Amino acid sequence: MQTLYITHPECRLHEMGEWHPESPHRLDAINDQLISSGLRGLIDEREAVPAQEADILRVHTPSLLAQLRRLSPVRGYAEIDPDTLMNSHTLAAAFAAAGAGITAVDAIMAGQASTAFCSVRPPGHHARPGQAMGFCFFNNLAVTVAYTLEKYGFKRIAIIDFDVHHGNGTEEIFKEDSRILMCSFFQHPLFPNVCTENPGPNMVNVPMPAHADGAALREIVESRWMPRLEAFQPEIIFISAGFDGHRDDMLGEFDMLESDYAWITEKLVDLADRSAQGRIVSFLEGGYDLSALGRSVAVHIKALAKL
């Protein structure tokens, strides 16, 4: 089956200033690389159906939604924190980004594809139940996981996060939920510097020092992630795909390469084929060096599509 490539025009209209690394140019870099690599014609591009309020409220508080609506500016910017700002398109982009995964899951469950990459922004994995932070407004992956649990009744869902920053929001939302197994590695110390002690029993989230390279991180996957994932036998896999661990990225200090992202994705595709009927939905998180981001996403999608 084809791999879906899901995005939305509003995701390009959200921006936080010319100085900000989480910019619309990230989506352009991905698109350009898919075209130049020949991948664009081999995947099925679809427009995300924006999430509904009820979808957001499965994992976020009404007060967060009310705050974002209140702060949404007609012009200029509204500051959530020094690094997280809203423009007039941000709220629509956040609803579209949160809906991309739902769009993907419904298509996969209808037999139209087995894997999907959601090329969306703003990213999501730092968004807590009641707080937007770290460039994130809604937790796109968590919104989709909660929807999937409710609509399709899965009992075993795996979440993988290979962003250089810890997916603190995702961990907070699903900690102690026995239907979820979350596996990640992340640089520590580094933003957001929380939730590194006493993880829940369903969390295999491994702090790693700066300058960890692909070999060290592959060892974490082999020795820490895969035994738990094999025992868990997930029915569907969701990925917070952050590419800011690349050695060329300015916001992290891991030394990963495109080949490392391809290897991790191939491991997850193999697991999904054996336990989850091949079902994987991946979400763009970090990745701020535009060339490295485009190249890394291309190999990730190529592995998802088995090309």
Side-chain angles (χ1 to χ4, degrees):
M1 291 186 189
Q2 283 189 305
T3 292
L4 302 180
Y5 180 79
I6 299 177
T7 189
H8 193 281
E10 287 287 351
C11 293
R12 202 188 178 297
L13 299 178
H14 159 65
E15 53 87 19
M16 297 183 282
E18 292 184 5
W19 60 273
H20 206 292
E22 205 294 281
S23 76
H25 300 303
R26 300 176 67 226
L27 299 186
D28 297 337
I30 292 169
N31 188 58
D32 290 348
Q33 184 64 37
L34 293 181
I35 292 171
S36 65
S37 67
L39 281 172
R40 184 66 179 270
L42 302 176
I43 52 180
D44 181 3
E45 181 172 347
R46 299 192 184 185
E47 186 170 302
V49 177
Q52 300 296 309
E53 180 174 316
D55 300 319
I56 303 302
L57 294 178
R58 288 189 186 94
V59 298
H60 291 294
T61 62
S63 61
L64 173 62
L65 189 53
Q67 177 199 32
L68 295 178
R69 284 175 167 156
R70 184 178 68 253
L71 292 177
S72 183
V74 175
R75 63 184 65 84
Y77 302 101
E79 183 178 292
I80 302 297
D81 62 42
D83 294 322
T84 309
L85 299 91
M86 301 181 73
N87 75 351
S88 60
H89 295 278
T90 298
L91 198 55
F95 272 98
I102 293 174
T103 304
V105 167
D106 284 344
I108 287 170
M109 295 305 293
Q112 298 168 10
S114 57
T115 62
F117 179 74
C118 300
S119 188
V120 294
R121 48 180 299 279
H125 72 154
H126 294 309
R128 303 174 61 210
Q131 182 185 9
M133 62 177 288
F135 312 165
C136 304
F137 297 88
F138 300 142
N139 194 311
N140 306 321
L141 181 148
V143 167
T144 305
V145 168
Y147 170 87
T148 304
L149 287 167
E150 182 173 306
K151 181 165 183 179
Y152 295 107
F154 286 124
K155 293 180 172 57
R156 298 183 309 281
I157 291 180
I159 297 171
I160 308 298
D161 189 328
F162 54 69
D163 194 282
V164 75
H165 302 94
H166 180 209
N168 61 297
T170 310
E171 177 167 334
E172 182 175 349
I173 290 166
F174 293 116
K175 185 177 179 179
E176 309 288 349
D177 188 331
S178 62
R179 300 170 297 177
I180 307 298
L181 175 64
M182 180 176 177
C183 298
S184 77
F185 51 63
F186 53 90
Q187 183 181 329
H188 181 72
L190 187 68
F191 178 90
N193 289 320
V194 295
C195 299
T196 57
E197 303 295 333
N198 303 313
N202 62 326
M203 298 286 152
V204 188
N205 295 340
V206 185
M208 293 291 288
H211 306 298
D213 62 9
L217 297 169
R218 291 186 193 205
E219 172 60 24
I220 294 299
V221 174
E222 291 278 23
S223 66
R224 302 284 296 276
W225 291 9
M226 293 311 298
R228 289 289 300 274
L229 288 165
E230 294 283 2
F232 188 65
Q233 288 292 289
E235 298 168 291
I236 188 169
I237 297 171
F238 293 93
I239 304 174
S240 271
F243 300 95
D244 40 7
H246 194 285
R247 70 178 179 186
D248 293 340
D249 201 285
M250 71 289 261
L251 292 193
E253 297 176 286
F254 278 174
D255 293 326
M256 296 181 72
L257 298 171
E258 295 95 304
S259 57
D260 298 312
Y261 294 116
W263 181 86
I264 292 172
T265 308
E266 289 163 2
K267 295 286 287 187
L268 297 174
V269 167
D270 178 64
L271 173 67
D273 283 347
R274 288 182 286 108
S275 79
Q277 299 180 39
R279 296 181 290 231
I280 299 177
V281 179
S282 180
F283 298 78
L284 178 64
E285 298 284 2
Y288 306 100
D289 180 273
L290 297 180
S291 177
L293 173 64
R295 300 192 312 269
S296 299
V297 171
V299 301
H300 178 62
I301 291 176
K302 187 175 180 180
L304 287 175
K306 301 181 183 178
L307 295 172

